[in-house]
Amino acid sequence: MTTQFYDRLSNDFTQLLESGINCDASIEVGEEEVNICNVHSIILQSRSPYFKKKFDEITSNEDHVKVLKLPNVSVRVFNVIIKYIYSGKISLEKLENSVIFDLLIASNELELDELVEHLQSHLVNDSASWLRLKFVLIYQTSYQVKNFKIIRDFCNNIITKYPNTIFESEIFHSLPEDALISIIKQDDLQLEEAKIWDHVIKWGKAKNPTLPTNLDEWTSDNFLSLKETLKGCLPHIRYFSFSNEDVVEKIYPYQQLLEQQLFSDINKKLITPAKPITSNVLPPRKILKATLPTRIPFPSNIINKEQALEISSWIDKNETPYFENNPYEFKLLVRGSRDGFHIKTIFTICDKVSNTIIILKVKGTGEILGGYNPLEWNINKNECKKTTDGFVFSLTDSTLNRVKGFGDYAIYNYPGNLQLGFGSSLRLIGDLKAEKKCFSNICSAADPELVHSNSKFSVEEYEVFKVSPNK
């Protein structure tokens, strides 16, 4: 039986790093804020192929020290990485998701494969909401960096279900060919074939900016150029899933892109559907029936639909946030700039109304804070109410604090004192805009010791919504 003493080994190497004894290399980290970290090259070389190659190439200076510069890695990110290299340990609890993503990019650059895989899994399993909110950036990065397979698979799964997240994004035309092919080859891509065709054609045209805008002006060479660009995509189109009308309107104008036999078979199916054809017929896509429509536009000047979906997932106590098809309707009841900023306004309009979301935009910082009250507000009674279903939140870093710890004081309903709130975590007082009396004790998700707007503040705007299940 083999006995392992990894904890002691980890601690000893951590102490070696902190002591700085016998260091033979230094790493200059950062660009504007430069920090120098003294290290042992043999340890870094044994842990990373990147460092092995770099330190083998670098000649020691007159002090017998090898100097390596990493301007693209921030000091904060490198501090996490160097501790991981020496100790084999990493803690992500106090790191914002954006920092974890930067850490992932740096770890990949430094060829720390074990850490790259771990960070991807962490983001997908524990920070899916943030990945969705930053979807375009995340997806684009996942295809630029080939090692990000876990995140790329996560993104592809979302695109399969909600293809317009990428087809209608600003980066679609710059999408690499292999990324587009990986999307359109999916049997369960939730989009009509004619629309997929439209997007593929638009992508191909974007790759050939010199093509005439008017299709009537195209020459045979123009069609050949587009055909060459789309040669990897065209085999994945389900031509025999087009309606007759779409064949005429969508395919006919671009018939020169198709091989003669394929176009002949498309026509044959159009005219005599029962006759056999020789072209390969891909199966129709497995389109699922939508159950809930997306409501557009979303009636808020503070939050967007994605943030409303996140709040809805908190209401349902889902670990995985909703991505589309919000199960709740957000009906605007009160808006400060429209109805007034005094707390009396909220009590007057929301009297006897339950299941309300209050959203604040903090003046000066732009932080977005809020709370959910499943119980009724009452303009005629000063009271504290008990609930375990309410919560407060900050959308600055997707922080959620449930009110279960407040016991009988979860909902603070005091119209006589011109106050309402959620325990001691979020309190609204008096004139929300003119007076700087509101306060918050919402603990940050990234750092429990960090409190969002823990000093008194006023609000730039606020909104109150009645939240009801969609019909």
Side-chain angles (χ1 to χ4, degrees), residues 311 356-360 369-374 377 390-394 401 403 411 421-422 426 428 442 463-465:
I311 294 171
T356 53
I357 289 282
I358 297 179
I359 299 171
L360 314 171
L369 309 177
Y372 170 65
N373 176 17
W377 298 107
F391 55 83
V392 291
F393 57 85
S394 167
N401 291 173
V403 299
I411 303 300
F422 304 83
L426 181 62
L428 283 60
I442 302 174
E463 295 170 336
V464 183
F465 295 91

Side-chain angles (χ1 to χ4, degrees), residues 69-337:
K69 296 183 179 182
L70 297 176
N72 296 329
V73 181
S74 72
V75 174
R76 188 178 184 188
V77 165
F78 186 76
N79 285 340
V80 177
I81 287 176
I82 197 64
K83 289 177 182 177
Y84 158 77
I85 288 176
Y86 273 79
S87 70
K89 296 179 180 179
I90 186 169
S91 175
L92 304 176
E93 293 178 358
K94 294 186 177 182
L95 297 180
E96 299 91 340
N97 289 318
S98 58
V99 175
I100 295 174
F101 192 69
D102 290 341
L103 178 60
L104 171 61
I105 293 174
S107 299
N108 181 72
E109 181 181 342
L110 301 178
E111 299 183 50
L112 300 169
D113 294 343
E114 178 187 52
L115 189 54
V116 168
E117 183 173 348
H118 173 75
L119 293 172
Q120 288 185 84
S121 297
H122 170 82
L123 286 169
V124 168
N125 295 327
D126 299 330
S127 301
S129 171
W130 183 83
L131 292 178
R132 289 182 172 97
L133 290 175
K134 304 290 184 181
F135 183 80
V136 172
L137 168 66
I138 301 301
Y139 181 71
Q140 189 174 32
T141 305
S142 75
Y143 261 94
Q144 291 171 344
V145 183
K146 296 303 181 184
N147 288 342
F148 290 1
K149 184 180 184 304
I150 296 174
I151 287 182
R152 187 161 58 250
D153 289 345
F154 170 84
C155 292
N156 283 337
N157 183 53
I158 289 176
I159 292 172
T160 297
K161 296 176 181 176
Y162 313 107
N164 285 338
T165 55
I166 198 67
F167 283 143
E168 295 182 1
S169 73
E170 59 187 14
I171 70 162
F172 174 66
H173 290 160
S174 61
L175 208 63
E177 181 188 30
D178 59 340
L180 179 58
I181 291 173
S182 73
I183 295 171
I184 64 174
K185 70 190 298 185
Q186 299 300 318
D187 290 338
D188 53 350
L189 184 62
Q190 300 298 296
L191 197 63
E192 297 172 12
E193 205 64 35
K195 292 181 179 179
I196 295 173
W197 171 263
D198 286 341
H199 288 302
V200 169
I201 294 295
K202 289 177 182 177
W203 180 87
K205 287 181 177 179
K207 300 297 183 183
N208 294 273
T210 60
L211 292 174
T213 304
N214 188 347
L215 194 62
D216 293 335
E217 299 175 2
W218 281 35
T219 65
S220 296
D221 287 340
N222 294 146
F223 282 103
L224 283 174
S225 296
L226 184 58
K227 182 177 181 178
E228 177 64 23
T229 300
L230 298 178
K231 64 181 180 181
C233 299
L234 294 176
H236 301 289
I237 300 295
R238 319 297 167 97
Y239 299 100
F240 300 99
S241 295
F242 281 68
S243 67
N244 292 353
E245 182 179 351
D246 285 334
V247 168
V248 174
E249 292 186 359
K250 307 287 187 181
I251 295 181
Y252 272 25
Y254 294 95
Q255 59 184 273
Q256 293 186 51
L257 301 181
L258 308 182
E259 298 301 326
Q260 185 175 355
Q261 183 61 52
L262 174 59
F263 185 66
S264 174
D265 285 341
I266 292 173
N267 276 312
K268 187 182 293 186
K269 273 291 183 184
L270 182 66
I271 300 169
T272 55
K275 286 194 174 183
I277 57 176
T278 59
S279 296
N280 181 37
V281 179
L282 295 175
R285 300 190 194 271
K286 303 169 185 176
I287 304 295
L288 303 176
K289 184 178 180 181
T291 55
L292 291 172
T294 303
R295 294 179 175 259
I296 300 174
F298 185 72
S300 175
N301 292 338
I302 302 177
I303 65 172
N304 56 36
K305 289 186 296 181
E306 288 75 19
Q307 290 167 322
L309 285 163
E310 186 168 26
I311 294 171
S312 295
S313 69
W314 290 337
I315 293 174
D316 287 346
K317 299 182 179 179
N318 284 355
E319 293 185 5
T320 303
Y322 297 117
F323 184 69
E324 198 170 77
N325 296 332
N326 199 325
Y328 292 101
E329 176 186 6
F330 282 56
K331 180 181 179 182
L332 180 66
L333 301 179
V334 192
R335 175 176 288 145
S337 57

Side-chain angles (χ1 to χ4, degrees), residues 397-422:
D397 63 354
S398 296
T399 292
L400 169 68
N401 291 173
R402 295 208 175 269
V403 299
K404 58 185 179 182
F406 305 150
D408 294 334
Y409 302 94
I411 303 300
Y412 194 84
N413 185 104
Y414 273 74
N417 295 350
L418 302 180
Q419 296 188 31
L420 65 77
F422 304 83

